[in-house]
Amino acid sequence: MTTRSRLLVLFAAVALLTAVAGIAVLRAAERAEEKTRARDGGPAVTRGPVSLDLGGEQRIAFRNMAWGPHRDELTTVPAARPDGPRTASGVNCLRFHAAAGTGICLQSGGRVAVLDVSLKEIAAHPAAGIPTRARVSPGGRLAAWTVFVGGDSYAGTNFSTRTSVLDLRSGRLEASLEEFTIHKDGRVYRAADVNFWGVTFAADEQTFYATLATGGKTHLVRGELAARTVSTVRENVECPSLSPDGTRIVFKKRVAGLPAEAPWRLYALDLASGRETPLGEQRSVDDQVVWTDANTVVYSLPGDFGADLYAVPADGSGSPRRLMSSALAPAFLGPR
């Protein structure tokens, strides 16, 4: 091949690659524009004041997943009208939770923002990973969050998490629960494969429950912040959520025979008796449920625009019902 022919081939290849790159950029721009364009038939979302105040009627604060200019913003609706018009705050959160007028907002770029009642940022901390779980204690003193530092799904075994707990009064940050002393089966336990996720707090603002994974198994652990210890309670418990009265935990349990990519069912655990009760939801739920009151829990399932929220009784009765479309990471504010 002559030098001229080689140059022609090179120029043609460069032109082809440039065209392909241009098409890719155009398609990416189209996808970005699509996210900011509201869809017909979707929920009405407008910018307005959003507060974590507990007064007045009960409201739901959540991450809005509806396509449009307010996608991923912290948004509220009245709890009595969950499919009604939404009010968007302008604050973007990938994971969110709130209690007692305090919010925790896991944002893109490895950042955790602590929000006051008016959604003003009062503190920020780094979080080196993909946001996955967030929880504020009932009295608003403590906040916990979990990120994936390796992998992006709990369904497999090839992942690594980091769970942090922040005391909002003292400012003390426990950067990783892996630094706590683990008591497993009555003995101090150490292992290189330890992972924690899914913290839920008790009303005393000191005790918490979480998931511990090690040796290919998961365990419910009970933790004490002051002592910096956790103790195993029960095997095969993930993403626990403590009831308002502190007597029950709803969690996701791996059930034999289900697909590897969708292995969970929701169960309720009575902490005093140890009795487990399967809930009425028959689909696999990969979420940490939120209690709306003493009788009902809410969780997310995949939806057309990312996620929808469903509610089901916590005593095993009834059937699930879709609460909201295009929503994720809810917190219930106001009287219960």
Side-chain angles (χ1 to χ4, degrees):
M1 183 180 290
T2 65
T3 300
R4 183 172 181 274
S5 297
R6 291 192 182 96
L7 288 173
L8 288 174
V9 171
L10 176 61
F11 291 152
V14 170
L16 178 61
L17 291 174
T18 301
V20 170
I23 292 171
V25 170
L26 179 61
R27 288 178 177 173
E30 289 174 346
R31 287 194 296 269
E33 181 184 358
E34 183 74 9
K35 289 184 178 181
T36 63
R37 187 166 57 244
R39 297 278 184 89
D40 291 339
V45 188
T46 57
R47 179 67 60 84
V50 173
S51 171
L52 302 181
D53 184 20
L54 300 181
E57 65 178 348
Q58 189 183 44
R59 289 164 293 117
I60 310 172
F62 58 97
R63 174 187 171 189
N64 174 52
M65 301 293 287
W67 294 114
H70 303 295
R71 182 175 167 87
D72 295 330
E73 290 184 22
L74 182 58
T75 307
T76 62
V77 293
R81 301 183 297 280
D83 288 332
R86 302 177 177 186
T87 302
S89 66
V91 177
N92 283 54
C93 298
L94 299 181
R95 283 285 175 175
F96 167 78
H97 190 249
T102 297
I104 188 79
C105 174
L106 277 62
Q107 301 174 325
S108 60
R111 192 170 185 275
V112 177
V114 180
L115 308 176
D116 68 9
V117 68
S118 60
L119 302 189
K120 178 182 177 182
E121 184 178 304
I122 56 176
H125 296 271
I130 301 172
T132 174
R133 300 287 181 252
R135 196 57 52 110
V136 177
S137 62
R141 175 174 178 172
L142 305 170
W145 59 88
T146 301
V147 297
F148 284 116
V149 294
D152 60 3
S153 171
Y154 295 110
T157 57
N158 188 26
F159 67 86
S160 177
T161 61
R162 181 165 300 147
T163 295
S164 306
V165 179
L166 173 66
D167 187 320
L168 297 168
R169 292 183 187 174
S170 68
R172 178 173 178 172
L173 174 66
E174 297 288 358
S176 176
L177 289 184
E178 294 173 27
E179 299 173 2
F180 280 34
T181 299
I182 300 170
H183 296 276
K184 184 175 179 289
D185 302 324
R187 298 180 180 180
V188 174
Y189 177 82
R190 297 181 179 87
D193 68 343
V194 165
N195 281 297
F196 289 93
W197 67 86
V199 168
T200 183
F201 292 104
D204 64 3
E205 305 287 307
Q206 279 294 320
T207 305
F208 65 92
Y209 294 87
T211 301
L212 160 68
T214 185
K217 297 180 179 180
T218 59
H219 305 265
L220 174 67
V221 294
R222 186 178 189 271
E224 298 293 339
L225 278 176
R228 303 183 80 245
T229 63
V230 297
S231 302
T232 57
V233 176
R234 193 179 190 88
E235 196 174 299
N236 196 10
V237 173
E238 298 183 53
C239 296
S241 183
L242 188 63
S243 63
D245 64 4
T247 63
R248 293 160 292 159
I249 280 177
V250 169
F251 65 100
K252 62 180 195 180
K253 176 180 180 176
R254 291 178 185 260
V255 176
L258 294 182
E261 68 277 8
W264 299 288
R265 289 288 187 270
L266 290 180
Y267 279 74
L269 170 66
D270 184 281
L271 290 171
S273 68
R275 184 179 67 253
E276 289 185 2
T277 302
L279 301 194
E281 175 59 79
Q282 298 301 307
R283 292 165 292 187
S284 183
V285 176
D286 183 10
D287 197 11
Q288 185 176 21
V289 308
V290 171
W291 292 76
T292 69
D293 51 36
N295 305 307
T296 307
V297 294
V298 169
Y299 50 92
S300 68
L301 285 171
D304 291 340
F305 307 115
D308 297 334
L309 296 179
Y310 290 80
V312 72
D315 61 1
S317 66
S319 301
R321 60 182 177 88
R322 189 166 71 171
L323 184 71
M324 300 174 64
S325 63
S326 309
L328 184 66
F332 286 76
L333 311 174
R336 298 193 182 191

